[in-house]
Amino acid sequence: MLLVKVGGGRVDKSVIAREVKAIGMEMVFVHGANVMRNVLSRELGQPTEYITSPSGVISTYTNQRALEILIMAYSLANVQWVAAFLRSGVRAVGLSGADGSMWIGNHKKYIVKVEAGKEILVTDTFTGKVTSVNHELLRLLIDQGYLPVITQPAITADGILINTDNDLNVAKMAAALQVTELVILFGAPGFLMNVTDPKSVVSRIAKGQIDELLPRAEGTMKKKLMGAKLAFELGVKRIYWGDARVKNPIQSALEGSGTVVE
Amino acid sequence: MLLVKVGGGRVDKSVIAREVKAIGMEMVFVHGANVMRNVLSRELGQPTEYITSPSGVISTYTNQRALEILIMAYSLANVQWVAAFLRSGVRAVGLSGADGSMWIGNHKKYIVKVEAGKEILVTDTFTGKVTSVNHELLRLLIDQGYLPVITQPAITADGILINTDNDLNVAKMAAALQVTELVILFGAPGFLMNVTDPKSVVSRIAKGQIDELLPRAEGTMKKKLMGAKLAFELGVKRIYWGDARVKNPIQSALEGSGTVVE
């Protein structure tokens, strides 16, 4: 089984849907929708706010309204992905992490942000971390030939919807489904040492190097590394980071044209 | 098995979720989200437009953007319903009609509207009628103890997303699942002869009366009758129309406090 995650940038859904059909393996598909979320946020007069944690990790600030906007944008993307898969002959079923309590997480009731050198406590935040994955629902669908197409939000055991990190969730899902290889596609040719320089791609990373790269990595690349770190801790053997915008993104990543972490 | 549909007006999701848990039967749950869609449409500067067909049926005009807005609002409502059910201990799984090609429909590529007495052809419309229901996916979920929580859109065999009529879809689903009783809840005490007068509720309608009531019914009540007509044609024996806003809406409807059609 292959676990594929595609980031929330501008990608051609039809290209990836056709490739998934051509590969023809059992798969679980996870996607983001950051760009659509940002557009909708602006249209609704509440542009996405970013906050920086004391350890330098940048996250989006998700209050109740921002969570609703996020759910709307991610759900629309989810339905569009499902339609693209169906057009390619893949029997896709869209799910959010809340469905059947698939992604159960902890609600981080407050977060600390750093602004102008000061640490500020932020409440009214609906983010958290997924702690367990209901693989039963996934197995049920996969065994009947359906492709689960999954996106935010997750949900707490008390039924509170929360925004979580897809890179970490994919690691958790890999463990729950006993998948040992991950394909993670995004809008860059692979892991970039310098996020603004596409030529700074690192083609191979040994899992032992993750800890030393972490403090030097920036933005979304830092998140990728944190996801990879968790994935290896949970039993994943190899992660393929690749470009979502090329002709055969999954195959290209599997052939090592991006970054292979192992 | 019980097939329950709740309209898209303001209802307390928790009340209904708790009642579904208390009833404890196998169920399929369908919901709308008209009010949320209208609010979002206004916020995005594209208020919902209504069009009247030559036969006097009022529908929403759904161009590409209106369809996207509809999907976002209905999906958000879907996730909120799922969360309400999970909080009540019901293992809910949210689905759109597109998931696993559950609601396959025909795309009405143009519609005729009447405006100032003239008939006008409208293209750029993404509406249609569901022609078949994939009950396999529903059965799979129900048999494992999940509650399918379903909303718009449907999808064509070619993978085009379309807005369809929930009242008609519920009739189609009843036939596919061989369910003989429907509970349809909305923001009125039952079938109203005069949509603006809650006291004009009709407590009992024989299925033979539907055809004679149709030309006299107004707005959403006309749609309810059309859904009922189709449901009876497809084998449904009894439909309970009731108020979604009361204490135990499903039980009250089943006890005949709204309108029973049989």
Side-chain angles (χ1 to χ4, degrees):
Chain A
M1 193 196 303
L2 209 55
L3 189 39
V4 176
K5 187 218 146 187
V6 177
R10 293 187 201 283
V11 290
D12 189 331
K13 295 181 173 75
S14 300
V15 167
I16 293 178
R18 281 193 295 265
E19 197 190 15
V20 165
K21 174 68 181 174
I23 293 172
M25 284 178 65
E26 281 189 350
M27 253 185 236
V28 171
F29 190 86
V30 178
H31 69 86
N34 272 341
V35 169
M36 281 170 67
R37 189 264 315 267
N38 293 345
V39 170
L40 184 64
S41 299
R42 274 196 305 273
E43 286 173 342
L44 289 170
Q46 182 172 323
T48 308
E49 276 181 66
Y50 295 91
I51 53 179
T52 306
S53 78
S55 64
V57 177
I58 296 166
S59 322
T60 52
Y61 169 48
T62 312
N63 61 15
Q64 186 67 55
R65 182 60 177 154
L67 180 71
E68 288 174 5
I69 294 171
L70 179 149
I71 293 171
M72 290 193 285
Y74 279 61
S75 298
L76 176 59
N78 192 258
V79 172
Q80 291 171 340
W81 272 112
V82 166
F85 281 119
L86 292 173
R87 282 194 295 273
S88 301
V90 176
R91 298 168 74 209
V93 173
L95 296 170
S96 87
D99 288 320
S101 297
M102 188 179 50
W103 287 350
I104 289 284
N106 287 331
H107 180 196
K108 216 168 167 179
K109 294 186 183 72
Y110 62 88
I111 41 176
V112 178
K113 71 170 172 179
V114 178
E115 218 172 75
K118 280 187 188 152
E119 295 197 355
I120 301 166
L121 197 70
V122 180
T123 53
D124 183 25
T125 171
F126 292 88
T127 57
K129 262 192 188 147
V130 167
T131 50
S132 72
V133 171
N134 172 9
H135 59 280
E136 193 187 283
L137 175 60
L138 291 173
R139 270 275 157 225
L140 183 70
L141 293 169
I142 297 164
D143 288 349
Q144 293 301 314
Y146 291 106
L147 173 73
V149 177
I150 306 166
T151 198
Q152 297 295 329
I155 194 159
T156 68
D158 298 334
I160 296 167
L161 297 166
I162 49 172
N163 181 24
T164 56
D165 184 276
N166 268 347
D167 286 300
L168 297 178
N169 296 354
V170 166
K172 286 278 182 184
M173 291 178 87
L177 293 164
Q178 297 182 286
V179 172
T180 56
E181 299 203 334
L182 306 179
V183 176
I184 301 196
L185 305 174
F186 43 86
F191 180 83
L192 303 179
M193 276 313 298
N194 173 353
V195 285
T196 58
D197 179 11
K199 285 182 189 145
S200 69
V201 60
V202 181
S203 65
R204 209 167 196 85
I205 297 175
K207 70 174 176 175
Q209 290 176 282
I210 294 175
D211 277 330
E212 97 198 34
L213 284 171
L214 257 172
R216 294 159 57 199
E218 298 163 306
T220 55
M221 294 299 156
K222 201 184 204 55
K223 291 210 161 187
K224 300 266 163 285
L225 283 177
M226 289 165 70
K229 189 177 154 82
L230 180 65
F232 285 112
E233 282 166 13
L234 296 174
V236 166
K237 302 291 177 211
R238 197 175 285 120
I239 302 176
Y240 300 92
W241 284 329
D243 198 327
R245 305 159 304 174
V246 299
K247 206 178 166 194
N248 291 299
I250 299 171
Q251 293 286 10
S252 296
L254 288 170
E255 286 159 10
S257 72
T259 302
V260 182
V261 200
E262 60 188 350
Chain B
M1 193 195 303
L2 209 56
L3 190 37
V4 177
K5 187 218 146 187
V6 177
R10 293 187 203 283
V11 291
D12 188 331
K13 295 181 174 76
S14 299
V15 166
I16 293 178
R18 281 194 295 265
E19 196 190 16
V20 165
K21 172 68 180 175
I23 292 171
M25 283 177 66
E26 280 189 352
M27 253 184 236
V28 171
F29 190 86
V30 179
H31 68 87
N34 273 340
V35 170
M36 281 170 67
R37 189 266 315 268
N38 293 345
V39 169
L40 183 65
S41 299
R42 273 197 305 275
E43 286 173 340
L44 290 171
Q46 181 171 324
T48 308
E49 275 181 66
Y50 296 91
I51 52 179
T52 305
S53 79
S55 64
V57 177
I58 296 167
S59 322
T60 52
Y61 169 49
T62 312
N63 62 15
Q64 187 65 55
R65 181 60 177 156
L67 181 71
E68 288 174 4
I69 293 171
L70 178 149
I71 293 172
M72 290 193 285
Y74 279 61
S75 298
L76 176 58
N78 192 258
V79 172
Q80 291 171 340
W81 272 112
V82 166
F85 281 119
L86 292 173
R87 282 194 295 272
S88 301
V90 177
R91 298 168 73 210
V93 173
L95 296 171
S96 87
D99 288 320
S101 296
M102 189 179 50
W103 287 351
I104 290 282
N106 286 333
H107 181 194
K108 216 169 169 180
K109 293 187 183 71
Y110 62 89
I111 41 177
V112 178
K113 71 169 172 180
V114 178
E115 218 173 74
K118 280 188 187 151
E119 294 197 357
I120 302 166
L121 196 70
V122 180
T123 54
D124 183 26
T125 171
F126 293 87
T127 57
K129 262 191 187 147
V130 167
T131 51
S132 72
V133 171
N134 171 10
H135 59 280
E136 194 187 281
L137 176 59
L138 291 173
R139 269 276 158 226
L140 183 71
L141 293 169
I142 297 163
D143 288 348
Q144 293 300 315
Y146 291 107
L147 172 73
V149 177
I150 306 166
T151 197
Q152 297 297 327
I155 194 158
T156 68
D158 298 333
I160 296 166
L161 297 165
I162 49 172
N163 182 23
T164 56
D165 184 276
N166 270 346
D167 285 300
L168 297 179
N169 296 354
V170 166
K172 285 279 182 182
M173 290 178 87
L177 293 164
Q178 297 183 286
V179 172
T180 56
E181 299 203 333
L182 305 180
V183 175
I184 300 194
L185 305 175
F186 42 86
F191 180 83
L192 303 179
M193 275 314 297
N194 172 354
V195 285
T196 57
D197 179 11
K199 284 182 189 145
S200 70
V201 58
V202 180
S203 65
R204 210 165 195 86
I205 298 175
K207 70 174 176 177
Q209 289 176 282
I210 293 175
D211 276 330
E212 102 199 28
L213 284 170
L214 256 173
R216 294 158 58 199
E218 300 163 304
T220 56
M221 296 297 158
K222 202 185 206 49
K223 291 211 159 186
K224 301 264 161 288
L225 283 176
M226 290 165 70
K229 189 177 153 83
L230 180 65
F232 285 111
E233 281 167 14
L234 296 174
V236 166
K237 302 291 177 210
R238 196 175 285 121
I239 302 177
Y240 300 92
W241 284 329
D243 198 327
R245 306 160 302 175
V246 299
K247 206 178 165 194
N248 291 299
I250 300 171
Q251 293 286 11
S252 295
L254 287 170
E255 286 159 9
S257 70
T259 303
V260 182
V261 199
E262 60 187 351

